[in-house]
Amino acid sequence: MAQLKEINISTNYLTGEVPGGIGELSFLLKMDLSNNQISGGIPFEIGRLTKLQELDLSSNNIQGPIPEELGNCDELILLKMSNNSLSGTIPFQIGNLAQLQILLDLSNNMLLGSIPSQLGKLNRLERLRLSHNKLVGTIPSSLVGMSSLTSVDLSFNNLTGPLPNNPAFLNASTESFIGNLNLCGGHALQLCKPPSEVKSQKMMSIIIPVVAVLILIFLVIGIYKVWPKAMQRQDKRSILAETNHGKDLFSIWNYDGKLAYEDIVSATDNFSDEYVIGRGAHGSVYRVELPTGQIVAVKKFNQTGSDMLTDLGFRNEIKALTEVRHRNIVKLYGFCKHPQCSFLVYEYIERGSLASILSSNEASERLDWPKRVNIITGVADALSYMHHDHSVPVIHRDISSKNILLYPDFDACISDFGTAKLLNPDSSNWTGLAGTHGYMAPELAYTMRVTEKCDVYSFGVVALEILMGRHPGELLSSLVILTRQELDVKLRDMLDQRIPAPGDQEAEMVAAVAKLAVMCIGMKPESRPTMRSVSLHLSSPSRKHYLFKALQDNHSNRYDAS
């Protein structure tokens, strides 16, 4: 064991902690423990692995700080610890990893503090991922020294100030920085203000709150005397912010509420039909180009006075989408709530819905088998995150091809969370009927209790629809009673005939996905697999490797994003 050079036990169901004895493997070059259920902390003994070149601990339940001893592993060329529960600050010793080249990924954790200026010494690093943490302060100007950097993602932190004078930062898209407070610079963000103006604003930022507090105190005293009605406690999860519109409620990240509201109304000619790109039960979706040049999708809800369902759907989407963060889930940029105008602002997904693409002979021909399996895998990953990796399980309740959007590289993105429900572990979770006919789980016909298995059934229908190129319809009830041999025979006639039949390796992959989809549409909820097991199966190393090779021309960063 002491001579061991490589450990790869990723994508299993491993539990427990990383043992401190790992430090005894002094010849270890690669260690991949990703996609398991490992908990506990990272042992400081890991710093004794001075020959280690690749370390991947991503997608586990690892907690606690990143040990500063990791800076002793100065032969590392790849370090990936994303999708855990790491806390504390980023140790400045990470800057000692002079050989780090391929990737530094600490995203989707709970890291605090500022970005260490010592990271600027990583002049060989090509990709930096620090998104979805709680980092604060400015981005160190020393990061200009990261001369090999080609891509960066610092989104969803609390960073402020100018971007470093580094091409990777200056040329990055808005998505690389969205969710921060007041970043500026580059071609995607607002211009940075002169230092004198910034200083003046800092003074005003001190004076204005003091004056506002004094005014508020007088108002509270006055209201208390003339109208002694107890103020209702506001929901602690509420994220609505009152603006100068009186009763208008508006919040959009990196924008002033009033300005953004007027921009959207103006850009759509007061929500003219010519900008509509989709319609639903509760409203319409518009394509909007903001003054910055950024294109967003705006979902405007129908205003019918006392339509409680519309209002509930609006609030459901806000609650769900401000609490979930995943590459395959649509990003919410902002919202407006007003008796005359309620809308949500999303990222704009260029290719539109999966349903529209499958319904078009021309568009569907571009969906070869690796792309279709990749779409299915993306949906499974998102649902697995919602069901199992979020603090409170989120059930979508309306997974269908019309609610799955496709990015330019054909990666999947789940949208429309109007019927989503956060499961309460202390409740029976009974609810009203919701979903799209043909995708709803059969048990909802006689019970109103929502579980994760409702989404699993809908996922199975969508997966079959992607493989067949059309909704499976009446086939659903007959597929679940077929043997595996019978399904193999049936599959040849089921597959979408508009594209060439899969080759040998593709056929094996497609058959495995089809069998998995059939398991998901089992009549009894308990017979269906969990989305975590589905996601892990689809993300097995061999299948992921094949997909990566097949799709690398269109999305070369697929493995990094997983």
Side-chain angles (χ1 to χ4, degrees):
M1 284 290 288
Q3 303 296 316
L4 193 64
K5 293 186 177 181
E6 181 173 350
I7 296 176
N8 187 342
I9 46 177
S10 63
T11 317
N12 284 286
Y13 294 93
L14 296 180
T15 58
E17 303 182 3
V18 179
I22 198 77
E24 302 297 325
L25 304 177
S26 56
F27 289 91
L28 197 62
L29 300 178
K30 297 181 181 180
M31 181 162 68
D32 187 350
L33 307 182
S34 63
N35 290 294
N36 283 294
Q37 300 172 29
I38 298 171
S39 57
I42 302 174
F44 71 88
E45 291 90 348
I46 205 166
R48 296 166 60 183
L49 303 177
T50 56
K51 296 183 183 295
L52 194 63
Q53 296 177 0
E54 297 183 16
L55 175 60
D56 190 348
L57 302 178
S58 62
S59 299
N60 281 290
N61 300 314
I62 300 174
Q63 303 172 345
I66 301 173
E68 60 185 40
E69 289 82 3
L70 191 61
N72 298 328
C73 302
D74 52 11
E75 294 296 320
L76 277 174
I77 61 173
L78 180 147
L79 177 57
K80 189 173 182 182
M81 297 182 173
S82 56
N83 294 293
N84 280 292
S85 298
L86 296 173
S87 57
T89 61
I90 300 175
F92 71 85
Q93 290 85 353
I94 296 292
N96 297 333
L97 304 178
Q99 303 300 318
L100 206 57
Q101 176 183 351
I102 299 174
L103 173 68
L104 171 59
D105 190 352
L106 305 178
S107 61
N108 288 281
N109 281 290
M110 296 184 289
L111 297 173
L112 305 168
S114 58
I115 299 174
S117 60
Q118 289 82 354
L119 293 191
K121 297 189 296 183
L122 303 178
N123 56 19
R124 296 188 180 187
L125 186 65
E126 297 175 356
R127 282 168 285 189
L128 176 65
R129 305 281 186 268
L130 301 178
S131 66
H132 297 91
N133 281 291
K134 300 178 181 180
L135 302 175
V136 299
T138 59
I139 303 174
S141 59
S142 62
L143 268 57
V144 70
M146 305 177 77
S147 54
S148 299
L149 205 61
T150 59
S151 68
V152 61
D153 188 354
L154 303 181
S155 59
F156 299 104
N157 283 289
N158 294 304
L159 300 169
T160 61
L163 300 180
N165 189 23
N166 181 307
F169 287 89
L170 300 180
N171 298 326
S173 66
T174 307
E175 285 73 20
S176 297
F177 307 112
I178 194 166
N180 290 286
L181 294 176
N182 292 300
L183 285 177
C184 62
H187 83 275
L189 301 177
Q190 58 187 337
L191 292 176
C192 295
K193 297 177 180 177
S196 59
E197 189 175 343
V198 173
K199 185 176 180 180
S200 174
Q201 284 189 346
K202 287 183 177 179
M203 290 292 295
M204 293 301 292
S205 68
I206 296 173
I207 295 172
I208 291 175
V210 172
V211 174
V213 169
L214 292 174
I215 294 173
L216 182 61
I217 290 174
F218 285 117
L219 285 174
V220 170
I221 293 173
I223 292 172
Y224 180 78
K225 288 183 176 180
V226 300
W227 186 31
K229 180 180 179 180
M231 297 177 65
Q232 294 182 349
R233 292 174 57 191
Q234 190 176 12
D235 187 340
K236 66 179 181 179
R237 289 187 177 180
S238 175
I239 53 174
L240 300 178
E242 189 168 359
T243 72
N244 294 329
H245 289 20
K247 292 184 178 180
D248 296 10
L249 295 170
F250 193 89
S251 174
I252 185 167
W253 302 329
N254 292 333
Y255 270 94
D256 169 75
K258 182 177 180 181
L259 175 64
Y261 175 89
E262 293 172 350
D263 288 343
I264 290 172
V265 173
S266 174
T268 58
D269 292 335
N270 198 19
F271 296 103
S272 169
D273 284 351
E274 66 177 288
Y275 297 94
V276 172
I277 56 175
R279 298 188 187 275
H282 299 306
S284 302
V285 180
Y286 299 77
R287 181 185 184 276
V288 179
E289 183 171 356
L290 297 172
T292 60
Q294 182 183 8
I295 298 175
V296 297
V298 174
K299 181 178 180 180
K300 181 176 180 292
F301 285 74
N302 297 328
Q303 300 301 134
T304 55
S306 59
D307 189 342
M308 295 296 293
L309 287 177
T310 296
D311 187 63
L312 179 61
F314 177 84
R315 296 181 182 276
N316 275 348
E317 293 210 41
I318 294 175
K319 182 178 289 187
L321 289 175
T322 52
E323 296 185 2
V324 297
R325 296 284 185 271
H326 194 277
R327 63 191 179 280
N328 298 114
I329 296 176
V330 68
K331 298 180 183 68
L332 177 68
Y333 290 163
F335 53 89
C336 171
K337 179 74 173 100
H338 184 267
Q340 275 72 49
C341 186
S342 297
F343 58 78
L344 303 171
V345 184
Y346 297 104
E347 65 174 326
Y348 176 69
I349 311 297
E350 185 175 332
R351 291 194 183 276
S353 73
L354 173 64
S356 64
I357 291 177
L358 289 177
S359 65
S360 166
N361 290 335
E362 181 180 357
S364 62
E365 288 177 357
R366 300 188 63 186
L367 286 181
D368 57 23
W369 296 113
K371 287 190 181 76
R372 296 189 187 217
V373 174
N374 183 53
I375 292 169
I376 294 170
T377 302
V379 176
D381 289 346
L383 289 174
S384 176
Y385 164 79
M386 289 163 54
H387 292 181
H388 306 286
D389 298 325
H390 193 253
S391 56
V392 179
V394 180
I395 311 303
H396 188 281
R397 296 205 296 162
D398 195 13
I399 294 296
S400 65
S401 56
K402 67 180 177 63
N403 289 335
I404 296 171
L405 308 178
L406 298 183
Y407 288 106
D409 57 3
F410 292 99
D411 273 346
C413 180
I414 296 179
S415 68
D416 200 341
F417 281 69
T419 60
K421 183 175 178 62
L422 277 65
L423 288 193
N424 183 352
D426 300 321
S427 169
S428 61
N429 294 300
W430 293 91
T431 185
L433 189 64
T436 301
H437 180 70
Y439 298 88
M440 288 188 290
E443 65 268 19
L444 291 177
Y446 53 86
T447 178
M448 294 299 178
R449 183 175 182 270
V450 64
T451 69
E452 296 95 331
K453 295 302 181 74
C454 298
D455 279 354
V456 175
Y457 181 90
S458 301
F459 165 81
V461 178
V462 170
L464 290 170
E465 183 176 0
I466 293 172
L467 297 179
M468 297 171 61
R470 64 188 187 282
H471 189 279
E474 296 180 356
L475 274 176
L476 287 172
S477 58
S478 60
L479 288 175
V480 293
I481 61 174
L482 295 178
T483 64
R484 290 195 174 188
Q485 292 76 14
E486 291 172 336
L487 181 59
D488 286 335
V489 175
K490 185 77 173 177
L491 191 60
R492 299 169 190 169
D493 299 324
M494 285 171 45
L495 296 181
D496 195 340
Q497 304 297 312
R498 295 174 295 181
I499 61 174
D504 292 341
Q505 192 171 11
E506 290 178 336
E508 181 180 348
M509 176 179 61
V510 169
V513 174
K515 291 171 184 174
L516 199 61
V518 171
M519 292 174 62
C520 292
I521 61 170
M523 296 300 291
K524 296 182 178 180
E526 60 271 19
S527 69
R528 302 169 200 153
T530 64
M531 287 312 307
R532 169 169 284 167
S533 63
V534 172
S535 175
L536 288 174
H537 182 83
L538 290 171
S539 301
S540 64
S542 60
R543 186 163 294 111
K544 181 179 286 186
H545 175 72
Y546 173 74
L547 279 175
F548 177 70
K549 287 184 63 180
L551 297 166
Q552 60 185 350
D553 291 337
N554 290 328
H555 36 350
S556 59
N557 292 328
R558 173 69 187 170
Y559 182 76
D560 285 341
S562 63

